[in-house]
Amino acid sequence: MKHVWWVFALALAGCKPSSVPPKPLGEPLVRGQLSNIQLLPGGTHVRFLADARSPQTQETASLLKLGKLYLFNLKTRQQTEVGKQVANFMEAQHATADGEYLVFLDAFNVKTKTGSLRCVEVARAVVGEALGEDVSFFVVSPQTRQLAFVEGGILKVGELPQGPFKAIAEGVVNLEFSQDGTMLAFKKRLEENGQLWVVDLQGVEERKPRLVAAHTGNYRLSKDGNKLAFTAKEAPKEVAYRLFFADTRKESAPKQLSQEMFRFLLSPDERWLAYIETKTPEKPGMLWIKPLEEKGGEAQMLGDRVMDFGFASTGEALAWREAYYGNEGLLAVVQLKGGDLEPQRLTPRTRHWQWNAQGQALAYTAMVSNPEVSVDLFSFRLGDKAPTKVHAWVYEYAFSTDGEKLLFEANCTREGRSCELLSTRLQEGEVALKEKLAEGVYSFKQSADGQHMYWLHMTPTAPVQTQLWVTGMANPSPQKLADHIHLPPPLALDETGKKFLYISNQPGHEGLYLTEMKP
C-alpha cells in the first residue's frame, strides 16, 4: 500500500515548482544511469546494469530491460564491462556461493527468450568462452560450482568454470539442485507427460537420469539429495494432485501420502512434511503434518480452512492461519518436539505473520475491533501462554537481527509515508518500554551486524525526494547519508554496517555512490 502512496505523491509533486536539490552525499564510484546493483559474495565486487533500456518490440513485457553488465572492484575502484545485452531479471545472472564466478545470459534475444551463456572470473574480470548458445535458463548449485542449463531444449550439467558439460535430457522445463550439489531433479514439458527425473552427480561418469513419476507438479529435494517430495496426477485431466515421497538413491516406488492437494512444505530439519488437502489451489483446505522417520507414525490433521503455513527455521514448530476468509485467519502454532501435537490458537483475523530468524518467536498483525477498529501488532514466543499486544495501528515491522526485539512503524501521518520507528524487547504480557529510534520514516532495514538502522524519509515538499538516514542502535543519533535514493534502494552493506552503496537518480548526478556513517 505504501508504494501506491509513493506514486500518488509523485503525481502531486509534478504540479509544483521545483527547488535546487542538494548534491548526492558520499564518494561517486560510477557515473551514469545504473540499475540492478548487487554485492557479490565475498564483499569485494559489485555487479550492475548500465544504460538499461526497454527493447523496441511489442512482444516484451513493459518491465523487461536490456543493458550492459559491469563488475566493479571496491578495492581498486575499477569497473569492467563483461556483458553487452543482459536482461534485468534476476534469473539472468547467478553467482557461485564463494563469489569467484558470475554466470549470466548475454546477447539476450527478446523474441526467443534465450541468450549466450557466459562465465566471468570475478577477481580478474575475465569472461571465458560461451558455455552454450540459445540457452533458455540455467541454475547454479547453492553450495558448489555445479551448473545446469538448457541449450536448444537439451539439459546439460557440469562444473564451472569450463565443464565439460554433459547432455542429460531433452524437453526440460525446470530443475533443482540439492543443497550439496550431489543430486539434480528436473521436470519435462507437458508434451512429455510432465515427467519428473533425478540424476545422481556424485562422481558417476554416465550420469544416467532415472524416471520418478509422470504428470507431476511441484517438487522439492532434501538438502543431501536423498529424499524427494513431489505432487503428481494419475491422469492429465485430473484437477487435484497427490503427494508423494521418494528415496532418490533407491529403485523403490514412491510412497503416496495424500490425495487432492496442491501445497506442501518440507521442514528445515527435514523431519516433517506439512501439506494442505484441497481440490483447487484457490480454496483453503485441511492442514496435515507427517513425520518422515521410518517409525514416525501417521499423518495428523492440525487445522481446517488453512491457506498459508510455514515452519520455524529450526524445524521445531509450525505456524498457520485457519478459518481463512478474506485474507484473514486465526493464527495457530504447534511445537514439534516429541509427544502429542497440540496446536495453540493465538489471534483471529490475522493479516500477516512471520517467524524470527532464530525460529523461536512470531510477530503478526491482526484486525482488532475493541475498543476501536485498528490493525495491531502482536508477538508470541514459543512457550508463552498467550500472545502479547505490542502496539496499535502498525505498518511495517521486522525482528531485530538477534531476534530479541521487534522494530516497527507506528503513529504514522501522511497516509503512512511518515512514521515513528519504534523498538521493543520481546516479552510476555504488557509491553512497557518502547524506544523511539527515528521520526519521519517511510521504510527501514537493519544492518547485517544489527548495530545500525537504515531508513528512508520522503520529503513532504515538492519536488519529492527520498532520503537515506542511519541511526545507531546503541546511540540513536540520526545522520543523513544521501538524497534522491533510487527506489527500491539497493541496500548493499559491508560487514561493519557503516558503509553503504546506493544509486542516485538525481539529474546531473546519476550514478553509484559510497557513503558511510560519521564517527
Side-chain angles (χ1 to χ4, degrees):
M1 179 60 71
K2 282 193 172 184
H3 298 292
V4 174
W5 287 111
W6 164 241
V7 174
F8 180 66
L10 284 179
L12 290 178
C15 301
K16 299 180 181 180
S18 62
S19 58
V20 179
K23 294 182 179 180
L25 301 177
E27 175 190 357
L29 300 180
V30 182
R31 298 288 193 181
Q33 294 284 352
L34 311 180
S35 61
N36 295 82
I37 179 177
Q38 184 178 30
L39 187 67
L40 296 181
T44 60
H45 290 76
V46 172
R47 68 164 173 86
F48 58 84
L49 291 183
D51 301 320
R53 303 179 185 277
S54 300
Q56 299 299 317
T57 174
Q58 296 181 352
E59 288 84 1
T60 61
S62 59
L63 297 179
L64 174 64
K65 293 184 178 182
L66 302 178
K68 297 179 181 179
L69 178 62
Y70 281 85
L71 282 178
F72 183 83
N73 191 318
L74 292 171
K75 293 183 178 180
T76 64
R77 297 294 197 265
Q78 292 182 338
Q79 68 183 72
T80 306
E81 180 184 320
V82 295
K84 295 185 178 299
Q85 192 172 346
V86 181
N88 62 340
F89 53 85
M90 296 301 295
E91 292 79 6
Q93 306 167 45
H94 288 292
T96 56
D98 55 17
E100 294 192 14
Y101 295 98
L102 176 66
V103 188
F104 62 96
L105 286 180
D106 202 0
F108 188 78
N109 188 311
V110 175
K111 292 184 178 180
T112 63
K113 303 294 189 297
T114 61
S116 176
L117 188 61
R118 300 276 177 167
C119 177
V120 55
E121 184 182 348
V122 174
R124 297 193 301 142
V126 175
V127 183
E129 296 294 327
L131 304 179
E133 302 291 349
D134 297 321
V135 175
S136 55
F137 69 92
F138 66 97
V139 176
V140 177
S141 61
Q143 298 176 350
T144 66
R145 295 178 180 175
Q146 292 281 353
L147 171 69
F149 60 93
V150 175
E151 180 183 29
I154 299 176
L155 172 63
K156 297 182 178 181
V157 181
E159 188 170 349
L160 291 168
Q162 297 178 341
F165 297 97
K166 180 179 177 59
I168 298 295
E170 295 183 1
V172 176
V173 293
N174 56 51
L175 53 94
E176 176 186 313
F177 279 105
S178 60
Q179 286 286 324
D180 60 5
T182 63
M183 184 67 68
L184 178 70
F186 62 89
K187 180 182 172 181
K188 291 193 174 186
R189 58 195 174 196
L190 293 177
E191 291 81 355
E192 299 192 38
N193 296 325
Q195 294 175 343
L196 181 62
W197 297 72
V198 292
V199 181
D200 192 339
L201 302 177
Q202 293 189 100
V204 181
E205 291 296 331
E206 294 297 326
R207 292 188 173 179
K208 292 183 178 180
R210 180 168 64 86
L211 177 63
V212 178
H215 312 303
T216 57
N218 298 325
Y219 57 94
R220 181 66 60 197
L221 278 168
S222 61
K223 296 176 183 177
D224 59 7
N226 291 336
K227 304 294 183 181
L228 177 67
F230 65 94
T231 60
K233 304 176 183 179
E234 281 194 351
K237 293 184 179 180
E238 287 187 357
V239 177
Y241 286 86
R242 304 180 183 191
L243 180 61
F244 294 85
F245 198 69
D247 190 327
T248 60
R249 312 286 184 183
K250 299 179 181 179
E251 298 290 339
S252 56
K255 181 180 179 181
Q256 182 175 330
L257 300 182
S258 75
Q259 296 186 16
E260 297 185 332
M261 61 81 57
F262 284 89
R263 297 181 296 279
F264 71 90
L265 286 177
L266 191 64
S267 66
D269 58 7
E270 299 179 350
R271 297 178 57 243
W272 302 88
L273 190 65
Y275 53 93
I276 295 178
E277 286 192 342
T278 177
K279 293 183 178 181
T280 60
E282 298 82 12
K283 294 183 179 180
M286 292 187 294
L287 175 65
W288 293 77
I289 190 165
K290 165 72 177 175
L292 295 179
E293 291 88 348
E294 292 185 4
K295 298 182 180 179
E298 299 298 322
Q300 179 175 328
M301 200 267 280
L302 296 177
D304 197 6
R305 289 170 52 203
V306 178
M307 194 69 177
D308 56 349
F309 58 103
F311 284 99
S313 60
T314 59
E316 296 180 353
L318 177 71
W320 66 92
R321 288 188 298 170
E322 60 185 39
Y324 185 89
Y325 180 78
N327 198 32
E328 295 179 349
L330 171 60
L331 185 64
V333 63
V334 65
Q335 297 191 55
L336 304 175
K337 292 182 179 179
D340 295 331
L341 303 182
E342 292 292 338
Q344 189 171 357
R345 270 76 186 183
L346 302 181
T347 307
R349 304 194 68 179
T350 298
R351 292 190 163 189
H352 178 273
W353 58 275
Q354 62 176 272
W355 287 100
N356 66 353
Q358 293 72 21
Q360 299 299 318
L362 284 163
Y364 59 96
T365 54
M367 175 68 77
V368 175
S369 56
N370 187 16
E372 60 183 16
V373 175
S374 65
V375 178
D376 296 353
L377 176 65
F378 294 83
S379 66
F380 177 79
R381 299 174 304 175
L382 296 180
D384 288 351
K385 295 181 179 179
T388 298
K389 179 179 176 179
V390 177
H391 202 87
W393 279 120
V394 169
Y395 281 71
E396 293 186 22
Y397 66 94
F399 283 101
S400 60
T401 303
D402 61 9
E404 296 296 327
K405 293 182 178 180
L406 263 179
L407 312 167
F408 57 96
E409 295 178 30
N411 307 326
C412 300
T413 59
R414 296 168 53 206
E415 294 83 22
R417 287 171 288 149
S418 180
C419 306
E420 292 181 351
L421 179 57
L422 304 175
S423 171
T424 186
R425 183 166 294 278
L426 297 181
Q427 64 183 63
E428 186 177 14
E430 183 179 356
V431 176
L433 180 62
K434 299 172 186 175
E435 180 183 9
K436 184 190 297 185
L437 301 179
E439 296 179 345
V441 177
Y442 170 70
S443 185
F444 67 93
K445 182 176 181 179
Q446 194 172 16
S447 63
D449 63 0
Q451 299 303 309
H452 306 97
M453 184 64 60
Y454 295 90
W455 47 279
L456 298 179
H457 169 69
M458 291 176 58
T459 58
T461 57
V464 175
Q465 58 176 284
T466 306
Q467 301 172 339
L468 174 67
W469 291 70
V470 63
T471 299
M473 295 295 288
N475 182 22
S477 54
Q479 297 180 21
K480 186 169 71 170
L481 296 183
D483 293 289
H484 292 274
I485 291 293
H486 176 78
L487 292 176
L491 302 180
L493 311 177
D494 69 347
E495 294 181 355
T496 65
K498 297 180 180 179
K499 295 183 179 180
F500 194 96
L501 294 169
Y502 74 96
I503 292 177
S504 171
N505 60 2
Q506 181 180 347
H509 298 281
E510 297 93 341
L512 176 64
Y513 289 79
L514 172 66
T515 186
E516 58 184 309
M517 289 184 62
K518 298 176 183 179

